[in-house]
Amino acid sequence: MTRLQRLFRITWVFCKYRLDTFLPIAELPAPLKLFFLFAPWHLFPKGKLDRGDRLRLALEELGPVFVKFGQILSTRRDLLPDDMAESLRRLQDNVPPFPSDAARAIIEESLGKPVDELFAEFTRDPMASASVAQVHAATMPDGRRVVVKVIRPGIERVIQQDLALMYLMARLLERYWSEGRRLRPVDVVEDYENTIHDELDLQREAANASQLRRNFDGSPLIYIPTIDWDYTSQRVLVMERVSGIPIADLKALNAAGVDMKVLAEKGVEIFFTQVFRDSFFHADMHPGNIFVDATNPADPRYIAIDFGIVGTLAPDDLSYLARNLLAFFRRDYRQVAELHIQSGWVPPETRVNEFEAAIRTVCEPIFERPLKDISFGHFLLRLFQTARRFNMEVQPQLVLLQKTLLNVEGLGRQLYPDLDLWSTAQPFLETWMKRRIGPSGLFQTLQSRLPSWLEQSPEMPQLVHDTLVQLRNSGSQAGAKQDTLAAIKASERRADRRWRRLALAAALAVGAWLGLQGELEPLARDMPWYGWAMLAGATWLVARGSR
């Protein structure tokens, strides 16, 4: 009965805001077309609001689960037109708080003690209330000031009901909409389901906060509050209470004398450091989650909270992304096209020349404008929209990155309108690429992978032997057993010799590298020919071993 009531409520809101205008009715089967022709929403006027505002108001009326979905959907510029995405970015969590008695009951059930024993002081009225949780101020018995985050009671059941309806709508779109398969609406709902469930697990949020704190330990860029793990569970999180100026309060920042240019540039540096150095970034950096420590106005520091959503990128994705961006800076559009194909972001049969021409058409007008007038985030979105014409599939691993970049750039330009994100990003990316593919980067990669190679090396001769035995067994069925056995034994001997040569060559190559880098003391520095001789020997052995 509850589900039927919820379905009726959603249908009512759907009709009220005439969301039927978003559906691809022309592509639906005849029975569904007939249904939509006589559907009850035709009794409601369309009104004067544009489609983006109608969708935003409908999601706000449907409640916190749909609001959160709309906030995530606003980052999917590959799915939505710009006007709708901009409207959804204005979605707010206008969620009334739940009773303090319910919060106390959840805390006592989760932590196993009465609230009065856990805390010296616990404020009855919440500091903030959002879609899935609300926050209370408290004081620990030892005097530490903390905040207590509590999951909203009953939210799991509401989420499951709404997710079931979202999946139903997504499957209908994927089946009957011509763009459905490429845009994969079911995958979009799956991504949202993972995100919302991650936010329901406050232990996961606490772990994210701890990791970010380690990554920026002692950093002048950003401060991450400490987590009190003894008072944290899946439904309750206790964290150090921090104080600062809200990032959106420009009057207070200016009154404190904060250097806005430094603050904006630090925000950009934080983003690229999290993405490219750590591959672990705060992916919910909207103004409500960011504060400023203005103790030293000339060198302000960010304070971050709410770590329920974080993003990560695989090394290959990071490398392709950095190379793409650097190619853009150099206007090497052919390399951009080739990198998209190599990374699998667009189908391998894509014609490079046509893709290159399309990218050039998007990028050249941008480069003719002053850099400070260019939105870096919107530029990337235009690129992905262009790639969509070449059947570029949705890249889930890039979605949170796009969202975070848009938030960071929006905050930066709000703080310092002349912020040039391009000139700030290019040196960082160039330095990162040099470290990654330069001598020091290669040596670090070798250091990190050599132990695993050496650990696996004793198994290699046995693996070669087993493979050759399998070949021998399959060859014996052909009737030439004696000749095959002789050939197998000869192959085993050659493989064994080749393995020894390659192993020696690898050792010599390592020694050569260390010698050329001056790592061997004092022989390599005193005799520069030493490294070259070892490298020549390694090359010769590799050539012999490959025969």
Side-chain angles (χ1 to χ4, degrees), residues 88-374:
L88 292 184
R89 286 185 65 187
R90 300 199 299 272
L91 280 169
Q92 300 294 324
D93 283 329
N94 296 319
V95 183
F98 59 87
S100 176
D101 291 340
R104 293 173 69 96
I106 293 172
I107 294 171
E108 292 176 353
E109 179 184 354
S110 298
L111 302 183
K113 291 182 180 180
V115 169
D116 293 337
E117 291 184 18
L118 293 168
F119 306 103
E121 182 182 351
F122 183 86
T123 59
R124 184 173 185 83
D125 295 329
M127 300 173 62
S129 179
S131 301
V132 299
Q134 72 182 27
V135 176
H136 292 259
T139 303
M140 303 298 291
D142 59 6
R144 287 180 293 120
R145 299 167 67 246
V146 297
V147 294
V148 184
K149 187 172 184 177
V150 186
I151 290 294
R152 185 173 289 273
I155 190 65
E156 296 91 346
R157 178 177 52 81
V158 176
I159 287 175
Q160 288 305 121
Q161 290 177 357
D162 288 349
L163 280 173
L165 295 172
M166 289 179 184
Y167 272 115
L168 175 62
M169 291 184 284
R171 291 189 184 99
L172 290 174
L173 286 174
E174 195 164 278
R175 180 173 182 180
Y176 295 112
W177 187 25
S178 59
E179 290 283 290
R181 287 190 177 182
R182 184 183 61 78
L183 296 179
R184 302 186 297 183
V186 174
D187 289 349
V188 175
V189 178
E190 285 180 356
D191 291 339
Y192 170 65
E193 181 179 15
N194 293 332
T195 300
I196 197 72
H197 281 308
D198 287 347
E199 289 196 75
L200 290 174
D201 186 352
L202 294 185
Q203 281 187 316
R204 186 184 184 96
E205 178 178 341
N208 293 338
S210 296
Q211 180 66 54
L212 285 169
R213 182 176 173 83
R214 283 195 300 273
N215 292 345
F216 286 92
D217 187 27
S219 171
L221 297 174
I222 189 171
Y223 181 79
I224 308 297
T226 57
I227 300 296
D228 195 325
W229 281 101
D230 292 334
Y231 291 78
T232 295
S233 68
Q234 189 171 357
R235 303 184 69 196
V236 177
L237 184 152
V238 175
M239 181 177 67
E240 172 190 4
R241 197 191 323 173
V242 293
S243 59
I245 302 173
I247 192 71
D249 193 347
L250 299 183
K251 288 185 178 180
L253 291 173
N254 286 317
V258 172
D259 189 325
M260 294 298 201
K261 182 175 185 294
V262 172
L263 187 63
E265 290 176 347
K266 279 191 172 186
V268 176
E269 185 177 353
I270 290 169
F271 170 75
F272 282 100
T273 300
Q274 289 184 89
V275 172
F276 289 98
R277 187 195 70 181
D278 305 327
S279 187
F280 190 87
F281 56 94
H282 192 310
D284 199 15
M285 297 184 70
H286 62 75
N289 290 338
I290 306 295
F291 299 85
V292 177
D293 177 4
T295 305
N296 182 0
D299 188 25
R301 183 166 64 160
Y302 283 84
I303 302 172
I305 61 171
D306 197 349
F307 311 98
I309 305 176
V310 298
T312 59
L313 288 176
D316 288 343
D317 286 325
L318 277 179
S319 179
Y320 279 119
L321 183 63
R323 291 165 66 189
N324 263 293
L325 295 177
L326 289 174
F328 275 121
F329 293 141
R330 298 164 183 157
R331 303 196 192 189
D332 188 350
Y333 305 126
R334 185 169 188 85
Q335 185 182 10
V336 174
E338 291 173 347
L339 285 170
H340 273 70
I341 296 172
Q342 292 172 16
S343 65
W345 295 351
V346 295
E349 64 272 11
T350 300
R351 300 180 68 174
V352 178
N353 291 338
E354 292 182 5
F355 193 24
E356 177 190 2
I359 293 172
R360 182 182 295 108
T361 302
V362 171
C363 297
E364 278 302 312
I366 294 176
F367 280 106
E368 295 303 321
R369 299 166 57 191
L371 288 178
K372 70 181 183 67
D373 294 338
I374 300 172

Side-chain angles (χ1 to χ4, degrees), residues 6-21:
R6 183 61 174 163
L7 181 59
F8 178 78
R9 173 66 177 166
I10 292 174
T11 304
W12 173 264
V13 174
F14 188 93
C15 296
K16 178 180 177 181
Y17 291 100
R18 292 303 305 271
L19 300 187
D20 60 293
T21 57

